[in-house]
Amino acid sequence: MLPEYDIIVVGAGHAGCEAAAAAANMGSRVLLVTMNMNTIAHMSCNPAMGGIAKGQIIREIDALGGYSGIITDKSMIQFRMLNRSKGPAMWSPRAQSDRMRFAEEWRLALEKIKNLDFWQEMVSSLIVKNGRLVGVKTSIGLEIKAKAVVLTNGTFLNGLIHIGEKQFGGGRSGERAATGITEQLIQLGFESGRMKTGTPPRVDGRSLKFDRMEEQEGDEMPGKFSYLDSTSPLTKQRSCHITYTNSKVHDILQTGFEKSPMFTGRIQGLGPRYCPSIEDKINRFAERERHQVFVEPEGWNTVEIYVNGFSTSLPEDVQYKALTKIPGFESVKMFRPGYAIEYDFFPPTQLNLTLETKQVENLYFAGQINGTTGYEEAGCQGLMAGINAHLKINKREPIVLKRSEAYIGVLIDDLINKGTEEPYRMFTSRAEFRLLLRQDNADLRLTEKSNKLGLAKEDRLKQATTKKEKTQELVQHLANIKIKPNDAKEPLASIGSAPIKDKSSLADILQRPEITINDLHVFPGEIEKIIKSYNAEVIEQAEIQIKYKTYIEREKINSEKMSSLENLKIKPEFDYNLLPSLSSEAREKLLKIRPETLGQASRISGVSPSDVSVLMVYLGR
């Protein structure tokens, strides 16, 4: 009934949508299989995209020709640039989204891709012949052939939902779990594990007293995620609010601990360290008198509210009683309780850097199946898996982003080389070259690379090229305009900066920390007119490049040093047992992960600098 496809993508969450869109836009015939067509790109957790390091990932997805940035721009209700008080390496865009509109925009975007088909059903098993993936089998026994398959099952693999002492199968509230695939993968030689995540209760905004909370407005001049001109910044925004728990809330929550699946041992999965449940917070941080609660609207026109910071799996009556003691929640009406969910994942050390599995050829994993958490982390994995699956079946070279090229490269490199024992979340601190990997320059870093692959279209490339040229032009203008000490004395005094001793360029003066590019208009001539002839994106880019020039150049030198290790290839069949000088732990890890380069080997947990030296000497021979 269904034709043979180039690529089948299983699961239509954030990873699945990006994987399907990327492969189809590159020319593959793609089938997106989901258990429910009405929940494509459903935001299972909080209705927001971006945040610290995550915002950089969304901009990288956009620069590569993915959809997450565009969809977020079309559906957001608030935009904030986080960490503006810090350096540009830390600036992170975040958007509050309209949950229903987000999913709708994704589905509409997918339906416009001509090479992409849909099928609503559960995939119960994979069809594998001679160690190669050749298709999938559905729950009604339908066999669909394909050259490659991307698994993006999210929290659905043997998903188990916990609310107090109650537990029931499900991949998400109101949706059944997916069964069969885990058991088959284990038979094929895969190692699996269990992880846990959670979600807070949803409440009726009409029952809340917002005047008892702190209002959190969006930026006065909101930005956006996509580099394309086809989306626009918001002209109006919805506010979020902040309130706090207290000792009364904590006391009530503790009455439910004896029924908590977390504390009674019913939950075996590993939970996210950086997004703990409220019961975990008050247990681990007993000295804290209060915890922050973010009150986030679910959209433009709905009264539903997401209670961010109150994730819990306690009994529903305990959840409700505790909520009523939070300022502003005294008369709260609950739409549905919070819950925890356990699900299967597969340690990502079983993958190649392309996200193809080592055990089965042409099978790719992306998203929470790899032990990550977050829409952004899932989306970028889906994008890379979709791209590489297309390249593989067309006998083209794969694409692997370096740690110095993208946060996406950092994330995948971390997963493959270090694995993860808890849900992996991206932070700026994970990137050693974060000054190179800013949110403002993702298009300059990645668009040309994606265009050569056939994903990022010519309009994207033209826009990125123009931005690069205009930035260089403005930087050169400011470097060419020289100011004498006497001419600079009054202007510098007017903006509270010390006088200069020698003739200096405006670029040199701009390197002073207290001076911004907008301050340069105090100098004589047509400087203000010159700067204003460029758009805001170019002006910001030029200012960053000038102000942080020394630091950027230093990071580039360091990244080039690291690249020299990446150029030392290691043959897949290399026998590490031949090197008795290696530590036993290093030998064990190297045999398991099979790094492709010396650089990759150096980042494997358990491989010491002395082990790297042994390898370097041997490879040098």
Side-chain angles (χ1 to χ4, degrees):
M1 183 175 71
L2 287 172
E4 181 175 338
Y5 286 89
D6 292 323
I7 298 170
I8 293 173
V9 177
V10 181
H14 301 262
C17 289
E18 288 288 4
N25 281 326
M26 291 175 78
S28 284
R29 287 169 294 118
V30 179
L31 180 68
L32 180 58
V33 185
T34 174
M35 292 199 292
N36 188 348
M37 290 279 289
N38 294 321
T39 56
I40 288 174
H42 180 68
M43 300 178 110
S44 307
C45 203
N46 63 323
M49 293 291 279
I52 295 170
K54 293 166 173 277
Q56 283 88 327
I57 289 176
I58 296 296
R59 298 215 94 186
E60 289 177 355
I61 291 172
D62 184 73
L64 286 164
Y67 282 65
S68 290
I70 295 169
I71 302 299
T72 302
D73 286 351
K74 288 183 175 181
S75 60
M76 65 182 170
I77 62 175
Q78 188 195 85
F79 181 92
R80 293 175 66 222
M81 185 66 77
L82 307 181
N83 287 337
R84 267 289 191 188
S85 61
K86 300 179 181 178
M90 305 296 285
W91 298 351
S92 302
R94 184 184 189 273
Q96 200 68 30
S97 297
D98 184 310
R99 188 187 297 276
M100 289 183 284
R101 189 176 288 186
F102 183 91
E104 180 188 31
E105 290 290 351
W106 248 119
R107 178 160 175 173
L108 292 174
L110 291 171
E111 288 180 357
K112 289 176 183 173
I113 302 173
K114 65 177 182 179
N115 288 336
L116 180 56
D117 292 343
F118 302 86
W119 185 254
Q120 178 174 295
E121 202 186 338
M122 184 176 79
V123 169
S124 56
S125 62
L126 306 171
I127 304 171
V128 181
K129 290 183 180 176
N130 301 319
R132 180 190 289 256
L133 204 293
V134 295
V136 302
K137 193 171 183 178
T138 70
S139 56
I140 63 170
L142 190 66
E143 292 191 358
I144 313 171
K145 299 289 178 62
K147 296 172 185 172
V149 169
V150 183
L151 290 184
T152 69
N153 303 81
T155 60
F156 281 75
L157 290 178
N158 292 322
L160 187 64
I161 292 173
H162 298 265
I163 304 175
E165 295 179 304
K166 305 180 183 82
Q167 61 180 45
F168 47 91
R172 192 161 48 206
S173 179
E175 297 181 62
R176 62 177 175 154
T179 56
I181 290 178
T182 295
E183 295 72 20
Q184 183 189 13
L185 289 174
I186 290 171
Q187 286 179 354
L188 289 167
F190 286 86
E191 176 193 345
S192 75
R194 294 284 276 177
M195 278 193 176
K196 167 246 171 186
T197 189
T199 192
R202 310 304 202 272
V203 303
D204 188 338
R206 295 170 298 183
S207 66
L208 302 182
K209 299 181 178 71
F210 292 102
D211 58 352
R212 298 206 61 199
M213 309 176 198
E214 300 170 20
E215 187 174 9
Q216 187 180 50
E217 297 179 304
D219 286 352
E220 192 175 333
M221 299 287 289
K224 63 191 189 81
F225 278 94
S226 181
Y227 291 98
L228 290 176
D229 292 331
S230 56
T231 63
S232 304
L234 290 169
T235 54
K236 63 173 184 173
Q237 302 185 68
R238 276 201 73 174
S239 290
C240 296
H241 288 79
I242 298 173
T243 185
Y244 298 87
T245 62
N246 51 53
S247 58
K248 289 181 181 177
V249 175
H250 299 176
D251 290 344
I252 292 171
L253 290 171
Q254 286 174 328
T255 66
F257 278 12
E258 62 183 27
K259 294 182 178 179
S260 165
M262 249 186 62
F263 299 133
T264 57
R266 284 194 300 279
I267 290 180
Q268 303 297 320
L270 301 155
R273 178 193 301 263
Y274 304 103
C275 190
S277 64
I278 187 65
E279 55 263 39
D280 198 19
K281 285 183 201 173
I282 63 174
N283 186 52
R284 280 165 51 191
F285 309 108
E287 74 285 355
R288 295 274 296 274
E289 294 181 359
R290 66 178 194 171
H291 294 282
Q292 210 168 34
V293 175
F294 295 91
V295 183
E296 301 179 344
E298 297 256 349
W300 286 113
N301 303 312
T302 180
V303 297
E304 190 171 357
I305 296 291
Y306 183 89
V307 190
N308 195 348
F310 205 86
S311 175
T312 180
S313 57
L314 291 171
E316 61 274 20
D317 60 328
V318 176
Q319 292 184 35
Y320 176 73
K321 287 175 189 172
L323 281 174
T324 62
K325 301 302 178 184
I326 295 175
F329 280 69
E330 293 83 358
S331 304
V332 66
K333 292 180 180 178
M334 197 159 69
F335 280 167
R336 53 189 162 115
Y339 60 87
I341 181 166
E342 275 187 290
Y343 55 93
D344 294 334
F345 84 104
F346 293 83
T349 51
Q350 301 170 99
L351 304 177
N352 295 312
L353 287 166
T354 59
L355 299 180
E356 182 183 19
T357 67
K358 294 173 182 175
Q359 284 91 334
V360 178
E361 190 177 356
N362 294 343
L363 174 62
Y364 294 76
F365 289 174
Q368 283 175 291
I369 192 172
N370 288 336
T372 60
T373 180
Y375 309 142
E376 303 82 1
E377 290 89 343
C380 73
Q381 290 175 72
L383 179 75
M384 298 309 294
I387 291 171
N388 278 315
H390 171 84
L391 295 173
K392 174 79 184 289
I393 64 174
N394 285 284
K395 297 180 172 57
R396 292 171 60 189
E397 283 294 308
I399 176 174
V400 174
L401 296 175
K402 297 175 185 175
R403 296 180 71 90
S404 57
E405 288 180 318
Y407 271 95
I408 297 173
V410 174
L411 181 146
I412 294 174
D413 190 78
D414 277 354
L415 292 175
I416 305 310
N417 295 319
K418 299 174 184 175
T420 184
E421 294 182 351
E422 61 190 33
Y424 179 100
R425 179 179 179 178
M426 180 53 74
F427 292 101
T428 50
S429 58
R430 294 193 190 272
E432 55 270 56
F433 304 117
R434 56 182 174 268
L435 191 51
L436 301 181
L437 309 182
R438 307 183 309 275
Q439 57 83 31
D440 58 86
N441 70 349
D443 53 342
L444 305 183
R445 290 185 274 122
L446 301 171
T447 300
E448 185 177 358
K449 188 181 289 284
S450 181
N451 178 259
K452 287 177 180 175
L453 295 171
L455 182 55
K457 301 296 183 275
E458 289 301 316
D459 58 339
R460 279 190 179 277
L461 181 62
K462 185 179 179 182
Q463 200 161 320
T465 303
T466 301
K467 176 179 170 180
K468 185 178 182 179
E469 291 170 351
K470 291 291 183 184
T471 300
Q472 290 171 344
E473 193 178 280
L474 179 53
V475 168
Q476 199 56 53
H477 266 313
L478 297 178
N480 290 341
I481 300 172
K482 310 285 185 181
I483 306 290
K484 294 176 182 177
N486 283 343
D487 294 335
K489 193 172 182 180
E490 263 187 52
L492 286 171
S494 72
I495 53 176
S497 192
I500 55 175
K501 295 177 182 178
D502 302 304
K503 191 175 183 181
S504 302
S505 71
L506 287 181
D508 292 332
I509 292 169
L510 183 56
Q511 288 187 324
R512 293 184 172 193
E514 72 275 12
I515 293 179
T516 70
I517 198 165
N518 291 323
D519 291 329
L520 298 182
H521 73 272
V522 299
F523 292 97
E526 296 191 330
I527 296 162
E528 185 177 11
K529 187 178 177 182
I530 290 170
I531 293 171
K532 285 188 173 179
S533 66
Y534 296 91
N535 66 37
E537 215 174 340
V538 168
I539 294 169
E540 180 184 73
Q541 189 64 214
E543 180 170 16
I544 291 169
Q545 288 188 16
I546 291 170
K547 200 172 272 294
Y548 297 91
K549 182 182 177 183
T550 306
Y551 303 100
I552 290 170
E553 286 175 352
R554 191 183 301 160
E555 279 207 357
K556 282 180 178 175
I557 291 168
N558 290 337
S559 73
E560 284 162 9
K561 285 179 182 176
M562 180 183 276
S563 293
S564 64
L565 292 181
E566 304 296 340
N567 294 330
L568 287 170
K569 303 287 184 184
I570 304 175
K571 291 180 180 178
E573 67 278 8
F574 183 79
D575 187 1
Y576 295 97
N577 291 313
L578 297 174
L579 306 181
S581 301
L582 286 175
S583 68
S584 57
E585 183 183 5
R587 189 178 295 109
E588 181 187 331
K589 296 286 181 68
L590 290 165
L591 284 166
K592 181 179 181 181
I593 294 173
R594 294 277 175 194
E596 297 173 21
T597 68
L598 189 60
Q600 187 187 348
S602 72
R603 295 188 294 276
I604 295 173
S605 179
V607 177
S608 69
S610 61
D611 293 318
V612 174
S613 297
V614 170
L615 282 170
M616 191 181 291
V617 169
Y618 191 89
L619 292 171
R621 289 176 186 165

Short mmCIF file of all heavy atoms in Angstrom, two decimals, residues 243-273:
data_model
loop_
_atom_site.label_atom_id
_atom_site.label_comp_id
_atom_site.label_asym_id
_atom_site.label_seq_id
_atom_site.Cartn_x
_atom_site.Cartn_y
_atom_site.Cartn_z
N THR A 243 6.56 34.17 41.29
CA THR A 243 6.16 34.10 42.69
C THR A 243 7.09 33.09 43.38
O THR A 243 8.03 32.61 42.75
CB THR A 243 4.67 33.72 42.83
OG1 THR A 243 4.31 33.77 44.21
CG2 THR A 243 4.37 32.36 42.26
N TYR A 244 6.83 32.79 44.64
CA TYR A 244 7.77 31.96 45.40
C TYR A 244 7.05 30.98 46.31
O TYR A 244 5.95 31.27 46.80
CB TYR A 244 8.70 32.83 46.26
CG TYR A 244 9.56 33.77 45.46
CD1 TYR A 244 9.10 35.04 45.09
CD2 TYR A 244 10.84 33.40 45.04
CE1 TYR A 244 9.88 35.90 44.34
CE2 TYR A 244 11.63 34.25 44.30
CZ TYR A 244 11.15 35.50 43.94
OH TYR A 244 11.92 36.36 43.19
N THR A 245 7.67 29.84 46.52
CA THR A 245 7.16 28.92 47.54
C THR A 245 7.56 29.46 48.92
O THR A 245 8.28 30.45 49.02
CB THR A 245 7.76 27.51 47.36
OG1 THR A 245 9.19 27.59 47.52
CG2 THR A 245 7.46 26.94 45.97
N ASN A 246 7.09 28.79 49.95
CA ASN A 246 7.42 29.21 51.32
C ASN A 246 7.39 27.99 52.24
O ASN A 246 7.16 26.86 51.77
CB ASN A 246 6.45 30.30 51.81
CG ASN A 246 5.00 29.88 51.60
OD1 ASN A 246 4.60 28.81 52.03
ND2 ASN A 246 4.22 30.71 50.90
N SER A 247 7.61 28.20 53.52
CA SER A 247 7.68 27.07 54.46
C SER A 247 6.37 26.30 54.53
O SER A 247 6.37 25.07 54.69
CB SER A 247 8.07 27.58 55.86
OG SER A 247 7.14 28.54 56.32
N LYS A 248 5.23 26.99 54.40
CA LYS A 248 3.93 26.29 54.43
C LYS A 248 3.80 25.35 53.23
O LYS A 248 3.32 24.22 53.36
CB LYS A 248 2.78 27.31 54.42
CG LYS A 248 2.63 28.09 55.70
CD LYS A 248 1.46 29.07 55.61
CE LYS A 248 1.31 29.88 56.90
NZ LYS A 248 0.20 30.87 56.79
N VAL A 249 4.24 25.84 52.06
CA VAL A 249 4.21 25.01 50.85
C VAL A 249 5.08 23.78 51.05
O VAL A 249 4.68 22.65 50.77
CB VAL A 249 4.71 25.81 49.63
CG1 VAL A 249 4.79 24.92 48.39
CG2 VAL A 249 3.80 27.01 49.36
N HIS A 250 6.28 23.98 51.59
CA HIS A 250 7.23 22.89 51.80
C HIS A 250 6.70 21.87 52.79
O HIS A 250 6.84 20.66 52.59
CB HIS A 250 8.58 23.44 52.27
CG HIS A 250 9.22 24.36 51.29
ND1 HIS A 250 10.40 25.03 51.53
CD2 HIS A 250 8.84 24.77 50.04
CE1 HIS A 250 10.72 25.78 50.49
NE2 HIS A 250 9.78 25.65 49.58
N ASP A 251 6.06 22.35 53.86
CA ASP A 251 5.51 21.44 54.87
C ASP A 251 4.43 20.54 54.27
O ASP A 251 4.38 19.34 54.56
CB ASP A 251 4.93 22.23 56.05
CG ASP A 251 6.01 22.91 56.89
OD1 ASP A 251 7.20 22.51 56.74
OD2 ASP A 251 5.68 23.83 57.65
N ILE A 252 3.57 21.13 53.45
CA ILE A 252 2.50 20.34 52.82
C ILE A 252 3.09 19.32 51.85
O ILE A 252 2.68 18.15 51.83
CB ILE A 252 1.50 21.27 52.09
CG1 ILE A 252 0.72 22.11 53.11
CG2 ILE A 252 0.54 20.45 51.22
CD1 ILE A 252 -0.13 23.20 52.50
N LEU A 253 4.06 19.75 51.06
CA LEU A 253 4.68 18.83 50.10
C LEU A 253 5.32 17.64 50.82
O LEU A 253 5.24 16.50 50.36
CB LEU A 253 5.74 19.56 49.27
CG LEU A 253 5.21 20.58 48.25
CD1 LEU A 253 6.36 21.39 47.67
CD2 LEU A 253 4.43 19.90 47.13
N GLN A 254 5.93 17.89 51.98
CA GLN A 254 6.60 16.81 52.72
C GLN A 254 5.62 15.77 53.24
O GLN A 254 6.01 14.61 53.44
CB GLN A 254 7.42 17.41 53.88
CG GLN A 254 8.70 18.09 53.39
CD GLN A 254 9.45 18.80 54.48
OE1 GLN A 254 8.84 19.31 55.43
NE2 GLN A 254 10.76 18.86 54.38
N THR A 255 4.36 16.15 53.42
CA THR A 255 3.37 15.16 53.87
C THR A 255 3.13 14.09 52.82
O THR A 255 2.61 13.01 53.14
CB THR A 255 2.01 15.83 54.21
OG1 THR A 255 1.44 16.38 52.99
CG2 THR A 255 2.17 16.93 55.25
N GLY A 256 3.50 14.38 51.58
CA GLY A 256 3.29 13.40 50.51
C GLY A 256 4.52 12.58 50.18
O GLY A 256 4.47 11.71 49.30
N PHE A 257 5.63 12.83 50.89
CA PHE A 257 6.88 12.14 50.55
C PHE A 257 6.77 10.62 50.68
O PHE A 257 7.38 9.89 49.92
CB PHE A 257 8.02 12.65 51.44
CG PHE A 257 8.63 13.93 50.96
CD1 PHE A 257 8.02 14.70 49.97
CD2 PHE A 257 9.82 14.41 51.51
CE1 PHE A 257 8.57 15.89 49.54
CE2 PHE A 257 10.39 15.60 51.08
CZ PHE A 257 9.76 16.35 50.09
N GLU A 258 5.97 10.16 51.64
CA GLU A 258 5.86 8.70 51.81
C GLU A 258 5.13 8.04 50.64
O GLU A 258 5.23 6.83 50.45
CB GLU A 258 5.15 8.38 53.13
CG GLU A 258 3.71 8.90 53.20
CD GLU A 258 3.05 8.64 54.55
OE1 GLU A 258 3.79 8.53 55.55
OE2 GLU A 258 1.82 8.55 54.58
N LYS A 259 4.43 8.86 49.87
CA LYS A 259 3.75 8.33 48.68
C LYS A 259 4.43 8.76 47.39
O LYS A 259 3.93 8.51 46.29
CB LYS A 259 2.29 8.81 48.65
CG LYS A 259 1.44 8.25 49.78
CD LYS A 259 0.00 8.71 49.67
CE LYS A 259 -0.85 8.11 50.79
NZ LYS A 259 -2.27 8.59 50.69
N SER A 260 5.57 9.43 47.54
CA SER A 260 6.29 9.92 46.36
C SER A 260 7.00 8.77 45.66
O SER A 260 7.79 8.06 46.29
CB SER A 260 7.32 10.98 46.77
OG SER A 260 8.24 11.20 45.72
N PRO A 261 6.77 8.57 44.37
CA PRO A 261 7.46 7.50 43.65
C PRO A 261 8.97 7.72 43.60
O PRO A 261 9.74 6.79 43.43
CB PRO A 261 6.85 7.56 42.24
CG PRO A 261 6.28 8.93 42.11
CD PRO A 261 5.85 9.33 43.49
N MET A 262 9.39 8.99 43.77
CA MET A 262 10.82 9.30 43.77
C MET A 262 11.51 8.76 45.01
O MET A 262 12.58 8.19 44.96
CB MET A 262 11.02 10.82 43.73
CG MET A 262 11.58 11.34 42.45
SD MET A 262 11.91 13.08 42.62
CE MET A 262 13.11 13.09 43.92
N PHE A 263 10.85 8.93 46.16
CA PHE A 263 11.47 8.57 47.43
C PHE A 263 11.18 7.14 47.86
O PHE A 263 11.86 6.59 48.72
CB PHE A 263 11.05 9.54 48.53
CG PHE A 263 11.44 10.97 48.25
CD1 PHE A 263 10.54 12.01 48.41
CD2 PHE A 263 12.72 11.27 47.81
CE1 PHE A 263 10.91 13.33 48.15
CE2 PHE A 263 13.10 12.58 47.55
CZ PHE A 263 12.19 13.61 47.71
N THR A 264 10.16 6.53 47.30
CA THR A 264 9.83 5.14 47.66
C THR A 264 10.55 4.14 46.77
O THR A 264 10.46 2.94 46.99
CB THR A 264 8.31 4.90 47.56
OG1 THR A 264 7.87 5.20 46.24
CG2 THR A 264 7.56 5.75 48.57
N GLY A 265 11.23 4.65 45.72
CA GLY A 265 12.01 3.76 44.86
C GLY A 265 11.25 3.19 43.68
O GLY A 265 11.79 2.36 42.93
N ARG A 266 9.98 3.64 43.49
CA ARG A 266 9.23 3.12 42.34
C ARG A 266 9.79 3.66 41.03
O ARG A 266 9.65 3.03 40.00
CB ARG A 266 7.73 3.47 42.47
CG ARG A 266 7.01 2.61 43.48
CD ARG A 266 5.50 2.74 43.35
NE ARG A 266 5.04 4.09 43.57
CZ ARG A 266 4.85 4.64 44.77
NH1 ARG A 266 5.09 3.94 45.86
NH2 ARG A 266 4.42 5.88 44.90
N ILE A 267 10.40 4.85 41.08
CA ILE A 267 11.05 5.40 39.89
C ILE A 267 12.50 4.96 39.90
O ILE A 267 13.26 5.28 40.82
CB ILE A 267 10.95 6.94 39.85
CG1 ILE A 267 9.51 7.38 39.60
CG2 ILE A 267 11.86 7.51 38.75
CD1 ILE A 267 9.32 8.87 39.54
N GLN A 268 12.90 4.23 38.88
CA GLN A 268 14.28 3.75 38.76
C GLN A 268 15.12 4.66 37.87
O GLN A 268 16.34 4.66 37.94
CB GLN A 268 14.29 2.32 38.17
CG GLN A 268 13.49 1.31 38.98
CD GLN A 268 14.04 1.10 40.37
OE1 GLN A 268 15.25 1.04 40.56
NE2 GLN A 268 13.17 1.00 41.36
N GLY A 269 14.45 5.43 37.01
CA GLY A 269 15.16 6.25 36.02
C GLY A 269 15.93 7.40 36.66
O GLY A 269 15.61 7.87 37.76
N LEU A 270 16.94 7.87 35.93
CA LEU A 270 17.76 9.00 36.38
C LEU A 270 17.11 10.30 35.98
O LEU A 270 16.79 10.51 34.81
CB LEU A 270 19.16 8.88 35.75
CG LEU A 270 19.91 7.59 36.09
CD1 LEU A 270 20.93 7.27 35.02
CD2 LEU A 270 20.57 7.71 37.44
N GLY A 271 16.91 11.21 36.93
CA GLY A 271 16.25 12.47 36.66
C GLY A 271 17.22 13.56 36.26
O GLY A 271 18.43 13.44 36.46
N PRO A 272 16.70 14.67 35.72
CA PRO A 272 17.56 15.78 35.29
C PRO A 272 18.11 16.55 36.49
O PRO A 272 17.35 17.04 37.32
CB PRO A 272 16.63 16.65 34.44
CG PRO A 272 15.25 16.32 34.91
CD PRO A 272 15.28 14.91 35.41
N ARG A 273 19.43 16.67 36.56
CA ARG A 273 20.10 17.39 37.66
C ARG A 273 19.70 18.86 37.69
O ARG A 273 19.54 19.46 38.75
CB ARG A 273 21.61 17.27 37.48
CG ARG A 273 22.44 18.01 38.51
CD ARG A 273 23.89 18.10 38.08
NE ARG A 273 24.46 16.79 37.87
CZ ARG A 273 25.18 16.14 38.79
NH1 ARG A 273 25.39 16.70 39.96
NH2 ARG A 273 25.69 14.96 38.52
#
